[in-house]
Structure formats: structure tokens, C-alpha cells
Amino acid sequence: MFDFSIWTNWIDQFLRTNLPEFWALAIEFVVVGVIILALYCIIALALIYFERKICAFFQCRLGPNRVGPYGIFQSVADMLKMLIKEIIPINHTDKFLFYLAPFFVLIASILAFGAIPWGNGLQILDFNIGIFYILSVSSLGVIGILLAGWASNNKYSMIGAMRSGAQLISYELSAGLALMTIVVLSGSMQLSTMIEGQKDCWYLFQGHIPAVIAFIIYLIAGHAETNRGPFDLPEAESELAAGYHTEYSGLQFGFFYLAEYLNMFIIASIAATVFLGGWMPFHVTGLDGFNAVMDYIPSVIWFFGKVVFLMMLSLWVRWTFPRLRIDHLLDLEWKYLLPINMVNLLVMVIVVIYGWYF
Amino acid sequence: MEVKDIKIKGISYDEFKDNDSLEKYVEELRANGVGIITGVLDDIINWGRSNSLWPLTFATSCCGIEFMAVGAARYDFARFGFEVTRNSPRQADVIIVAGTIVDKMAPVLKRLYDQMAEPKYVIAMGSCAISGGPFCNSYCVVNGVDEFLPVDVYVPGCPPKPEALLYGMMQLQRKVKMERFMFKDKEVKENE
Amino acid sequence: MENIKELILAKVSDAVIEDKQYLTVTVKPEDLRTLAKMLRYDEGFDYLIQLTGVDYGDSLGVVYLLAKSEDMAVCIVIKTATADKENPTLPTVSDMWKAANWNEREVYDYFGVIFINHPDMRHLFLTERWKGYPLRKDYDAGRDVNPLDLKSYDMSDTTVSYVSEGDGIKKIEKNLFEEEDYVVNIGPQHPATHGVLHFRTALDGEIIKKIDANCGYIHRGVEKLCEGLTYPQSLHFTDRLDYLCAHIYRHGLCMCVEKAAGIEVPERAEVIRTIMDELQRIDSHLIAWSCMCQDMSALTAFIYGMRDREKILDIFEETGGGRLIQNYNVIGGVMADIHPNFVQRVKDFIPVMRKGLKEYHQLYTGNVIARERMIGVGVMSKETAIAYGVTGPSARASGIHCDLRKMAPYAAYDKVEFKEIIRMEGDSMARYMNRLDEIEESLHIIEQLIDNIPEGDFCAKTKAIIKLPEGEYFQRVEGGRGEWGVYILSKGDKTPYRMKFRSPCMTLVNAMDTISRGGKIADLITIGGSMDYIIPDIDR
Ligand code: SF4
């Protein structure tokens, strides 16, 4: 497996030998920041295009096909337009919070984005509490949504924000507990260690029944956290016009729009990392030839393959189901997912203590 | 850029009707010449804008159903990138006035238009929106939305066929592609 | 019916009873309530089908068309009029038939007649600032009286009601909402109101406390326009009322004129009309289904419905020339003969639609989320439905037999056999299922007719100028959303003296407040979708 840390270390060494430490670090910060932002933007645009095509496919349509071959530049055109669109100053809003909200949402997702391991040796932040960090920063986004709803001084936005708050608080629990189940299995919260632990067998298979249950719960809860259908209550197009971002225009709306897609990506990549081994290829103990072949596929491709697969699932659900009603949404979480999750965690602990895993 | 240079995929210049008025429009716009850099920038921006016209979901009556049909499987305006219909006027680029506008609705429509962010466009779809259509003699029907909105494209018909609306939207794309975006206000001031 | 005449005369001795198309009773305003009470509570005329205001020149009157829920074909007409044109007042009947509520407001709008004891005497279609009463014969339709006003005004939160007190009339102002209500405007421009309807919704958290529905945002004054046009000219308006039932509505108006003028419609035309009606019904139910799914945010289902609908539009386009609005019926028959491909196309369409229906059930009906959201939501009891005069699939979901194709068959409906779909639950699910089942029945009807289109003319010869003999004519047809009716008052001219269309959707929206109280915001959307109203049909 090619280790990208060879490159990164070499660059680091090179900078440090030629420059004083302060400047070397400064340059690295800037480079890393630019890379994150660029990736963020590219992935979001790709995702938007991807979703529009997939959705068209589900609906017997063609989807964008005018701009560039197969319409691949469609989202670039959208972005250009968004950039120059007027940002309407609105009276009777809480100006400061109103302008702050989109940044909050965006920054929360960028923070989480930074901690994702892309490939072997390609990870920007690697704490010993990586999972914990991702969970906490990604849930910051809801504050942005609440602020947006509150500051807009619009009744639709307000209702949307309140729904979003209720939804996020509930589903955060399930998502956290589902990940906790795997943390119990792996014995570590550090993402790199977790991936290393899946060298022979992904946690999904290692932990068999409890891990599969946790995986499914995480997918549901994660999907709910991204505020996408059938859990798109905060936006609820047919009920609340555009929900919490009703009053936002131009680039501010663009931020919400991008963050929505990026959150989907983040959720999918966490699921891929924790349950499906992240960039770790598919290995079967004993079949060395097979494993060697698998190792030839670059780690980045493994990672993206898994993420795309999970996102396909998410899109499939999104374009099939109608929207839940708020009380059903809360019922689902508090009456079903959470109790199941608790029991599941316990089962996992027992499994680990007795060593009944692969 | 000349009108002739504007390419719309699938339809050639000669197949478009009403090229004259567009050309006149271009002449007016280009009266002062075009800066090289701003011209190129304009082209890039206009490329983006024209391919990403998000309509507001707005329909009052019959024509609205045909508008829905354009969004559905057979006609699929997603091909042009128009499918992101926005429910909030703040996020929409073009309002397609589909259906009769009556006295009670006119202030609402005006307000919706005012709420949209610049740059914004208006398409009058159907004879009702153009002139009051079959109801033009009524005591409370607005005889054409151009009484109070700057209409960019008229799509006649009662109701216009979905193809007609698509054609209208392509015409709007052409119009957008020719516009000046950079330093527009400054030049306008200088002209005055 | 003889019996009824005596009973009426016993109660109201100076009532004038005539045998016309329906039994017609003319009474003085003072006696109206006595008669109405008797008919409503003793004789079982619990459906108020139509309530029409008329300007007779020297007096302003109201015509009531009543029916029985046990047998919708039995009708009776009551007429009353007041000679006072300055301050016209009439007693309300809205306490007996809730359907009268909005209808009386409409009469107030059109003619300025104030209904005493009506709970909510606001304008229905026009704004509060409107001057004059447009449907009065002396109204000058000039734009200078009521110019276009683009200013947005705040809506008033109060309503008025006029009650009789001793000899005089007292005006009482009431608040629509309570002080602490959180009122959200849903509409007039909202993705889920199916047009430009405006619900002012008082919320308690997510729970709906009260809805105040406002319409008139697409009030086009069709009835007034019709008064100035000849009968063939006025045909095209019906297509544009409920554009999803364009064909059926036009059929209704044609039939009314034909009956009145004594025009014999060839059998071929009758059969073609029936087939077209049923195709149109399928089209309308498909849109209803699609839009309901879309309202509940299942976009894919929406697109599937629209996709299959295109096939019907193809058939229409080939024969009639129009997709959405076909302008195909004319007085005396249909505009053109069917296209040679017509029969084959329809035959091809039937299996496609059957397959589609199966797909819809798989995709949506069985979906847990959809079921949770529809079952038990927005229950409309039989009594509510009757009180508001609800008809069509929505009423049949509450257990009312009101299919006019069965009750009072017209065109070729007496030659075919089909089931009337009845469900008892009255919730959104029942309304939803009713529509899908009715598609199946319509296919069944088409199957029976398509091979048996008789030879002959497709249109009867009519005079160049059609004049209807003096009199009043009613016609009721089964539209996609309920009973659609037309009332023509002719003075023997080539234009109608008064033409009124009965809107099925008005009754549906009128009932919304009652059935959605206590639900969530999301339920309001579901109920709206399941009721499937078309706003231009309400506003006319
Ligand atoms: S133009 Fe014709 S189809 Fe369109 S809204 Fe007007 S009447 Fe209806």
C-alpha cells in the first residue's frame, strides 16, 4: 500500500531545512488550508452534480446535459451565478446573527471535514479523540441553523429552526451511541488506530450482529443529521417554503446549500471509516493472493468507493421516501432507535469481554 | 459578443425567431464598446448565469400545470439546469408568471418580484400573463403583467406547449448571455 | 313530490310552487327560514348544492338548489328576492347548511346582499377596498372605478356579522384570532396550496388551532364575462376553471345548453364525450395523486404520475388539438371526429395505466411513512361532508353515495356498468385510495365503450345563433373533484342573463378548517393534497 506520508514528510522536511520553523509551519498551514477549501468546494460541486444526475435517473429523466459533456459543469455554472447574486439586506433582522449563521454552518462542516482520513497517510488532523472531535464539531452546525431561523425574523424560518433543533438533539444521541459501539470494539477513538485495526477484517464484520445494527442505526441517524429527505423537516419545501434559509439569498444561501451536501459526504465518510475500514482495502484472512491484489488498488480509491456507495444509499432513500412528520420523527428516535442502541451497546460490551468477535 | 456568436446547444442561430430585437438590444448595450478584460469576465459570468436560471415556483392557474409538465419526465428542463425550482423568492433568478394575474394577486406578485435578488428576470407565460388573455375584459384581471413588471420573454399560447416554454427559456438564456455585468452601473451613469 | 307541495303550502301558505326542471318554490324573505328548516330537518334535503345570487333588475334574489344525501338525483329549488336595492338584506341559512357560509359571502361580494346572522360577513373574492358590486346589472365595469392597486395592505384581523335586533340591524365586530395566537400565512404563494390560496393558520407549536382560508387571488370574474358572450363563446371559460377537468366541465355546459335549446346530440358524440370524460378523469386523478405525493415530498412519485399522464395528453392532442385544454366539446356534439389512431391509442394506454397503478401502490401506498401520515389524518365525518356540501371522491371516502354518473346518468353512462367506489373511513388514506380505485373504474368504462363507438355524425347541426328560451336551467355533472353544476337564467337572448358555475372545490376548502384542526402543519399539507382542490375553480 502506498503511504502518502512519505510525500508529506518529505515536504515537511524540505521546508524545515530551508526555512525557520515558524515560516515552515506558516506555509504548511496555508497550503493545508487552501487544499481543504479547494477540496471542499470541488467535492461539494461534484456531489451536487452527482445528486442531480442520480435523481434524474430515478425519475426517468436525463438531468443536466447542456453544459459541458453530460452536463458536468452544471454545478460550476451554478456556483458562478451564486457568487454574483445579490445578497439582500433585510430589515428587522438581527443583522449580526443573520450574517453569522451561514458561516457557522460552513465552518462546522469544514472542521469536521479536516479530520477525515482520505487515504494511507493522508489525514490532516489525527487526535487520539478523533471520533469524539468529529461528532462534536459536526453538531455545531445546528447552532448555525438555529441562528438563521431566529435571526431571520420569519415565521417559516423560526419553525424550521425549531424543528431542526429538536431533530438534531435527538439524532445526535443515536449517532453517538452507534459510533460508541464500535469504539468499544476497537478500544480506541483515534481514527488512524481504528483504521489500522480493520486491517484484517472491517469492523462491520468483526463485530457481526451488534456492529451491523449499529451501522444501520448510524446510517439512519446520520441521514437525519444531514437534514435531507425523508428527514428534511427544517427545510420542508412543501410546508415551510424553504424553512430556515427562506430569507437567505445569494452566496449566503450558497453556503447552506454547499454545507448540506458536504455534511452528507462527512456522514458517509465517517460511516465508511468506522464501519467499512476507511481507506483500508478489503482483506480476507488467509487468502494472501487476493489480499495482495486488493492492495494494488490505491487507498484513496478505496475510500472514495466506499463513500460513494454509502452516498448512493442515502440518495436512494432521499428520492424514494416521503417526508416524516415531526412526531413520527421523534417517535422513531426515542422509542425505537435509542433503546435498541442502548441494548446494542451492552451486547457489544459483552461480545468484547468474552472475545466473541472475529 | 455578437448575437450570432451565442451558441445554444441544439438550435442554430437561424432557427431562432425574433433575432432582430435581440440584435438591436446588443447594439444598445455595446454602444460604448466593450473593455477587453471586463468583456471576457462578462462572458464567463454570463455563461454561468445563463446556465443556471433557477425559477421560482409560482403558478396561479392553468399555465402552471404546463409549467409542472416541463419539469416532469418528458420535457425535463433539468437538462438546461433549470430544475432547481426555489420556493423562496430570495433564491430564485427568474419568475415565470404562469397564469392569470388578477387585481388581488397583483400586489402579491409585485412583492414577490421585489423580494427576488438581482439579477432577476421575468417570463410571461401564456396569454393571460401577456395580455389578460381570454379574461382581458373582466373587471378585475390585470391586462398583462408588463403593466408592472419588466418582462424579458413572452411565451404566447393558452396554454403554451411545454416546448414553447423551453424555447422561451432558451431565448432568455441568449439574452442573459449578451448582458453586461461588470461595471454596468458605472457606465450607465457615465452615459447619463 | 306531490306530497311535498302540500307540506310546503301548509307551512308557507303564500309560496308559489312551479313544476320546472326541478320543483321550484318561490317564497318571501320572511318565510325563507321556515321553509328551509322544514326542508332541511323534516324532508331530508341536507345537501345545499348551489346558492346563486341573481339581479332581477328590480330586485336582488337568491336561488337555492337542494338535494338529498340519500338520493342525489332528487332536487328542489327555492327562490327568494328582496326589492330593496339600497340596503338589501336576506336571512342566512348558513346555520342549516354550512356550505352556505362561503356561498353567501360570494353573493355579498357580487351583489352586496347582506345576510342577517351570518357569522362572517366579509368579502370572499374581492378586496375590502372594492367599490360597487360587479355582478349587478348596473355595475359599470370601467377600470377607473377600481383601478389596479399595487400597494400591499395588511389584512384585517376582524370580521363583521350583522344580527337583527328588534326592528334594526346591529353590526358586530369579532376578532378572527385570539390575542396570543401564532398566526402563520400559508399562501397565497406557497408550493403546497395547489394554486393561490391563502390560509391564515393559527398555531400552537406545530398544532393547528384554526384556519382562516382566503381566496380570490385568482378571481377572474368569469360569470360576469359570460353574461356578455353568446353561449358558444362562453364555452371556453369552463375549460379554464378547473383545467384538470376541462373536458368534463365543458361537457356539462354543453349539455345544459343542448337540453335547453332542444338539440339532439348524436349517439356517436355521446360516446366520444364519455370516453373523453373518463380519460380526463384519469388525468385529473393522476395529477391529484402526483401532487399529493409531491406535497408529502416524494418527488419521484410525482414524476411517475406526470410521466404516465403524458400518454393521455397525447391522445387528447391528437384528436382535440390541445394538451391541457382541449376545447373539444361544442354545442351539439364534439368539434371534430376522433383521429383514426384514437381507438388504438386508447387501447394501448389501458394496460400501461394498469401497470402504472400497480407501480404506484408499490412505490407509495405501501410505504410506511406515507401510511403513517395518511391513515387517520384529517378525518371528515359523513355529517361534516354533508353539511359542507362536499361531493366527489372526497365525499365518497366518507361513505356518501354521490356519484352523479350513477345517480343521474348522462351521456353514455347508463349504458356502461361500473362500481361506485365508497369507503367509510373518511381519512386522507381513504380519499387517496378512492382516487386510485376510480382510475381503475374509469379504465373499465373506457374498455366497454372503446370498441362500440357507434357510427354517425359527431356533431348535430345547430343554428348559427343559439338562443335559449326564457327560463332557468340546471345541469350537474360528475367532475374529477366532485359535482360541478351550471345554472343558466335565460331571458330568451343569445346571451345568458345570469350564468353560475357550482364549484366542487369551494366546498372542499370550506371544510378544511373543520377537518384539519388539531392536526400538525404537515397534516394540513397532507389533507390539502388528499382533498385535491383547484383554486381557479373556487374563484371563477
Ligand atoms: S393563458 Fe390560457 S391556459 Fe394560461 S392561464 Fe391563461 S387561460 Fe389558463
Side-chain angles (χ1 to χ4, degrees):
Chain A
M1 203 87 267
F2 179 73
D3 193 346
F4 285 96
S5 51
I6 301 173
W7 285 2
T8 45
N9 284 339
W10 181 79
I11 296 174
D12 186 43
Q13 287 301 325
F14 176 77
L15 285 176
R16 275 168 201 265
T17 43
N18 290 319
L19 289 169
E21 168 141 353
F22 175 79
W23 286 111
L25 276 179
I27 290 181
E28 277 175 27
F29 289 158
V30 171
V31 169
V32 166
V34 168
I35 290 180
I36 289 195
L37 286 181
L39 264 181
Y40 186 93
C41 193
I42 291 170
I43 288 182
L45 291 183
L47 270 181
I48 292 172
Y49 169 72
F50 185 65
E51 165 164 47
R52 283 164 81 169
K53 271 295 201 197
I54 299 272
C55 145
F57 168 74
F58 279 129
Q59 300 176 345
C60 326
R61 299 190 281 115
L62 287 175
N65 68 355
R66 290 283 159 149
V67 200
Y70 302 104
I72 48 171
F73 297 127
Q74 184 60 54
S75 35
V76 180
D78 284 341
M79 185 197 67
L80 268 179
K81 184 217 50 194
M82 207 81 101
L83 282 174
I84 51 120
K85 197 92 178 138
E86 179 194 7
I87 292 178
I88 306 178
I90 297 171
N91 296 338
H92 311 301
T93 55
D94 188 328
K95 289 268 169 353
F96 178 66
L97 295 184
F98 186 79
Y99 290 119
L100 186 67
F103 289 102
F104 233 107
V105 174
L106 197 74
I107 288 173
S109 70
I110 291 184
L111 283 180
F113 187 71
I116 292 167
W118 299 90
N120 196 359
L122 274 186
Q123 187 176 8
I124 295 158
L125 288 173
D126 190 18
F127 295 131
N128 50 5
I129 50 159
I131 282 283
F132 185 65
Y133 166 78
I134 291 192
L135 268 179
S136 44
V137 291
S138 64
S139 52
L140 275 182
V142 71
I143 299 180
I145 293 181
L146 278 173
L147 287 185
W150 173 257
S152 295
N153 192 13
N154 173 322
K155 288 178 180 171
Y156 286 141
S157 308
M158 188 67 194
I159 297 174
M162 288 303 148
R163 283 179 171 188
S164 161
Q167 181 175 337
L168 240 107
I169 289 170
S170 339
Y171 280 84
E172 198 66 37
L173 271 175
S174 273
L177 277 177
L179 291 180
M180 207 50 71
T181 318
I182 298 302
V183 169
V184 168
L185 180 64
S186 75
S188 160
M189 280 197 182
Q190 190 162 10
L191 286 172
S192 54
T193 328
M194 289 181 91
I195 294 173
E196 210 51 44
Q198 309 186 54
K199 202 162 168 189
D200 299 323
C201 186
W202 298 347
Y203 282 145
L204 186 65
F205 304 124
Q206 271 187 36
H208 51 88
I209 300 171
V212 171
I213 295 177
F215 182 56
I216 294 171
I217 291 180
Y218 182 74
L219 284 188
I220 297 176
H223 195 91
E225 271 188 62
T226 53
N227 289 339
R228 290 171 55 77
F231 303 98
D232 56 348
L233 282 98
E235 279 178 59
E237 297 240 314
S238 53
E239 292 160 30
L240 305 177
Y244 62 90
H245 58 61
T246 305
E247 294 289 354
Y248 284 89
S249 60
L251 199 56
Q252 292 178 328
F253 163 67
F255 283 177
F256 284 118
Y257 196 63
L258 283 189
E260 175 188 330
Y261 284 89
L262 238 289
N263 283 336
M264 184 167 88
F265 179 81
I266 290 169
I267 294 291
S269 44
I270 296 177
T273 310
V274 174
F275 293 92
L276 303 181
W279 50 261
M280 196 53 90
F282 184 66
H283 287 163
V284 184
T285 357
L287 298 179
D288 287 338
F290 175 76
N291 290 350
V293 173
M294 286 291 143
D295 278 345
Y296 275 113
I297 304 174
S299 54
V300 178
I301 293 196
W302 272 107
F303 175 76
F304 275 100
K306 288 169 193 173
V307 170
V308 166
F309 168 74
L310 290 177
M311 279 191 312
M312 271 293 293
L313 277 185
S314 146
L315 288 179
W316 188 9
V317 171
R318 161 92 175 86
W319 293 107
T320 311
F321 285 98
R323 183 183 304 119
L324 282 159
R325 206 170 72 189
I326 182 84
D327 53 334
H328 297 153
L329 180 99
L330 297 179
D331 271 4
L332 174 68
E333 163 65 18
W334 296 99
K335 287 197 186 152
Y336 301 98
L337 293 187
L338 197 61
I340 294 176
N341 227 331
M342 298 277 202
V343 175
N344 193 41
L345 184 61
L346 208 67
V347 173
M348 187 53 118
V349 170
I350 293 171
V351 165
V352 171
I353 289 176
Y354 283 95
W356 288 338
Y357 54 89
F358 300 114
Chain B
M1 207 198 283
E2 291 303 312
V3 187
K4 274 210 196 301
D5 302 338
I6 292 173
K7 296 261 170 359
I8 296 285
K9 218 173 182 175
I11 299 194
S12 66
Y13 173 78
D14 302 318
E15 275 175 65
F16 274 105
K17 300 228 167 65
D18 201 24
N19 281 322
D20 310 340
S21 54
L22 263 188
E23 252 146 36
K24 226 167 74 213
Y25 180 62
V26 173
E27 247 162 58
E28 273 169 34
L29 285 177
R30 303 285 183 273
N32 277 0
V34 186
I36 292 178
I37 296 171
T38 55
V40 172
L41 265 179
D42 265 350
D43 287 352
I44 295 174
I45 287 173
N46 287 341
W47 170 82
R49 288 198 306 144
S50 68
N51 284 308
S52 158
L53 292 165
W54 293 356
L56 176 72
T57 13
F58 175 85
T60 64
S61 52
C62 349
C63 282
I65 302 289
E66 288 299 58
F67 176 47
M68 268 159 57
V70 179
R74 183 181 289 182
Y75 298 98
D76 187 21
F77 60 8
R79 290 177 291 144
F80 302 87
F82 302 148
E83 90 271 39
V84 198
T85 51
R86 303 307 314 177
N87 293 322
S88 163
R90 308 249 185 244
Q91 297 148 12
D93 305 302
V94 48
I95 180 168
I96 299 181
V97 185
T100 327
I101 300 300
V102 303
D103 281 16
K104 199 169 173 182
M105 192 65 197
V108 182
L109 176 61
K110 175 84 170 35
R111 198 155 152 189
L112 276 175
Y113 179 77
D114 291 343
Q115 281 175 343
M116 285 167 64
E118 289 282 353
K120 51 191 173 185
Y121 302 91
V122 181
I123 293 184
M125 176 185 183
S127 39
C128 280
I130 295 174
S131 66
F135 310 100
C136 62
N137 291 330
S138 169
Y139 51 87
C140 62
V141 169
V142 178
N143 288 356
V145 285
D146 45 8
E147 281 186 22
F148 58 92
L149 293 188
V151 179
D152 291 283
V153 176
Y154 296 88
V155 182
C158 181
K161 288 190 66 167
E163 290 91 335
L165 181 60
L166 284 180
Y167 175 77
M169 299 211 38
M170 284 197 256
Q171 288 278 30
L172 179 62
Q173 280 189 323
R174 298 212 303 165
K175 188 164 174 179
V176 173
K177 278 194 181 167
M178 288 172 332
E179 265 176 4
R180 310 288 306 277
F181 191 79
M182 306 296 286
F183 309 112
K184 188 167 68 181
D185 299 337
K186 198 172 128 223
E187 277 181 20
V188 169
K189 268 193 208 102
E190 274 168 16
N191 282 351
E192 282 163 6
Chain C
M1 284 308 248
E2 283 310 308
N3 174 7
I4 264 200
K5 280 189 199 167
E6 279 156 30
L7 284 172
I8 293 171
L9 284 178
K11 276 265 181 203
V12 185
S13 50
D14 56 354
V16 186
I17 305 182
E18 297 156 282
D19 264 319
K20 291 197 191 159
Q21 186 179 0
Y22 300 119
L23 194 71
T24 308
V25 188
T26 313
V27 290
K28 291 214 216 66
E30 308 88 83
D31 298 331
L32 176 71
R33 282 186 63 84
T34 327
L35 179 66
K37 265 212 183 85
M38 180 201 121
L39 290 174
R40 166 75 179 84
Y41 294 110
D42 304 339
E43 295 304 315
F45 283 96
D46 44 9
Y47 253 108
L48 177 72
I49 301 287
Q50 261 184 35
L51 193 159
T52 313
V54 185
D55 180 3
Y56 291 111
D58 50 354
S59 63
L60 294 170
V62 178
V63 182
Y64 304 81
L65 176 64
L66 305 176
K68 287 185 179 178
S69 63
E70 294 135 41
D71 182 358
M72 291 288 276
V74 180
C75 289
I76 190 166
V77 179
I78 313 179
K79 295 202 314 191
T80 188
T82 167
D84 183 358
K85 288 196 90 170
E86 286 304 310
N87 289 308
T89 54
L90 283 173
T92 179
V93 293
S94 60
D95 49 339
M96 290 178 243
W97 295 279
K98 291 216 177 96
N101 188 323
W102 275 25
N103 278 303
E104 286 176 352
R105 281 172 67 185
E106 176 192 312
V107 175
Y108 171 56
D109 242 2
Y110 284 173
F111 299 99
V113 178
I114 285 172
F115 288 86
I116 307 297
N117 288 339
H118 187 286
D120 181 10
M121 205 73 260
R122 277 177 299 162
H123 282 285
L124 183 63
F125 297 142
L126 302 171
T127 56
E128 285 138 37
R129 292 165 301 282
W130 190 270
K131 293 189 210 76
Y133 301 103
L135 260 82
R136 285 202 190 180
K137 288 289 170 192
D138 52 10
Y139 176 78
D140 169 25
R143 266 319 203 149
D144 31 340
V145 188
N146 286 299
L148 178 60
D149 188 354
L150 287 174
K151 193 162 172 280
S152 294
Y153 293 91
D154 282 344
M155 292 191 78
S156 130
D157 277 339
T158 54
T159 177
V160 291
S161 146
Y162 299 86
V163 294
S164 59
E165 226 185 33
D167 300 337
I169 294 166
K170 208 174 99 192
K171 185 172 168 182
I172 301 178
E173 285 216 352
K174 285 184 284 190
N175 279 338
L176 283 170
F177 300 103
E178 282 158 37
E179 199 58 51
E180 73 275 16
D181 280 350
Y182 189 70
V183 183
V184 174
N185 286 306
I186 298 188
Q189 203 287 120
H190 187 275
T193 48
H194 294 210
V196 276
L197 186 62
H198 182 184
F199 286 128
R200 284 203 285 169
T201 319
L203 293 177
D204 178 11
E206 286 254 349
I207 310 226
I208 293 167
K209 279 168 75 181
K210 182 182 177 172
I211 295 178
D212 173 41
N214 288 291
C215 41
Y217 292 94
I218 182 75
H219 173 61
R220 313 190 265 204
V222 168
E223 286 169 11
K224 177 82 177 182
L225 284 172
C226 283
E227 286 173 14
L229 297 175
T230 65
Y231 293 103
Q233 280 174 335
S234 60
L235 281 182
H236 72 278
F237 287 131
T238 54
D239 283 34
R240 286 155 179 83
L241 290 179
D242 181 347
Y243 33 86
L244 297 179
C245 294
H247 198 86
I248 304 179
Y249 281 22
R250 198 163 161 123
H251 187 178
L253 180 55
C254 285
M255 271 200 297
C256 190
V257 177
E258 283 153 8
K259 258 195 214 157
I263 297 168
E264 192 75 33
V265 181
E267 216 179 321
R268 185 177 173 84
E270 294 274 33
V271 173
I272 295 176
R273 280 178 174 184
T274 314
I275 296 176
M276 286 296 204
D277 275 6
E278 289 312 306
L279 283 173
Q280 182 82 73
R281 196 180 312 279
I282 297 175
D283 169 30
S284 151
H285 285 349
L286 267 181
I287 290 241
W289 179 79
S290 316
C291 288
M292 183 171 177
C293 295
Q294 188 195 26
D295 286 351
M296 292 162 73
S297 171
L299 259 175
T300 308
F302 165 74
I303 304 255
Y304 281 17
M306 296 296 278
R307 177 195 66 190
D308 294 340
R309 168 177 176 265
E310 289 288 336
K311 305 220 166 58
I312 303 178
L313 298 189
D314 280 346
I315 299 175
F316 284 156
E317 194 175 4
E318 208 169 49
T319 290
R323 275 163 50 87
L324 180 67
I325 288 172
Q326 303 101 23
N327 298 325
Y328 186 50
N329 276 317
V330 290
I331 293 166
V334 292
M335 179 115 68
D337 205 357
I338 50 174
H339 192 271
N341 289 343
F342 179 77
V343 175
Q344 193 50 44
R345 280 230 186 201
V346 173
K347 277 187 189 163
D348 291 345
F349 167 71
I350 293 171
V352 172
M353 193 62 236
R354 290 234 160 91
K355 200 168 134 251
L357 278 177
K358 225 182 265 156
E359 196 178 22
Y360 303 160
H361 285 307
Q362 276 171 359
L363 176 66
Y364 204 71
T365 318
N367 188 309
V368 218
I369 301 178
R371 293 184 78 85
E372 283 279 318
R373 284 194 61 180
M374 288 193 289
I375 293 178
V377 168
V379 178
M380 177 161 63
S381 66
K382 193 169 176 178
E383 291 70 44
T384 316
I386 291 175
Y388 282 105
V390 175
T391 48
S394 307
R396 291 197 279 281
S398 303
I400 301 168
H401 292 266
C402 59
D403 196 333
L404 286 175
R405 295 174 293 170
K406 270 240 185 299
M407 302 287 156
Y410 51 93
Y413 284 115
D414 45 355
K415 299 196 195 71
V416 289
E417 68 97 10
F418 63 100
K419 276 210 302 288
E420 184 181 7
I421 311 283
I422 302 280
R423 278 192 166 70
M424 304 307 292
E425 298 89 351
D427 56 0
S428 303
M429 189 69 186
R431 290 189 283 270
Y432 166 92
M433 286 304 285
N434 255 23
R435 295 225 158 70
L436 289 180
D437 287 351
E438 280 190 13
I439 296 185
E440 178 58 45
E441 286 310 309
S442 296
L443 289 175
H444 188 50
I445 295 176
I446 296 173
E447 263 177 344
Q448 295 171 47
L449 291 174
I450 191 70
D451 278 325
N452 308 316
I453 304 177
E455 293 298 318
D457 279 345
F458 56 85
C459 187
K461 294 262 172 315
T462 50
K463 286 199 217 87
I465 293 172
I466 298 171
K467 284 189 182 165
L468 296 197
E470 204 159 317
E472 291 165 296
Y473 308 96
F474 294 91
Q475 178 65 47
R476 305 156 67 198
V477 287
E478 180 69 24
R481 283 158 194 76
E483 174 183 335
W484 186 77
V486 51
Y487 164 82
I488 299 179
L489 172 62
S490 168
K491 294 255 156 131
D493 291 327
K494 60 181 196 291
T495 58
Y497 185 75
R498 170 90 169 96
M499 177 132 50
K500 146 99 184 180
F501 305 116
R502 191 252 182 198
S503 151
C505 300
M506 186 191 257
T507 60
L508 293 172
V509 176
N510 200 355
M512 280 297 279
D513 180 30
T514 313
I515 64 174
S516 51
R517 274 191 198 192
K520 310 258 184 318
I521 305 174
D523 290 341
L524 173 67
I525 310 295
T526 315
I527 298 170
S530 72
M531 296 290 246
D532 176 32
Y533 35 74
I534 293 289
I535 313 304
D537 181 38
I538 303 174
D539 290 356
R540 278 162 281 141

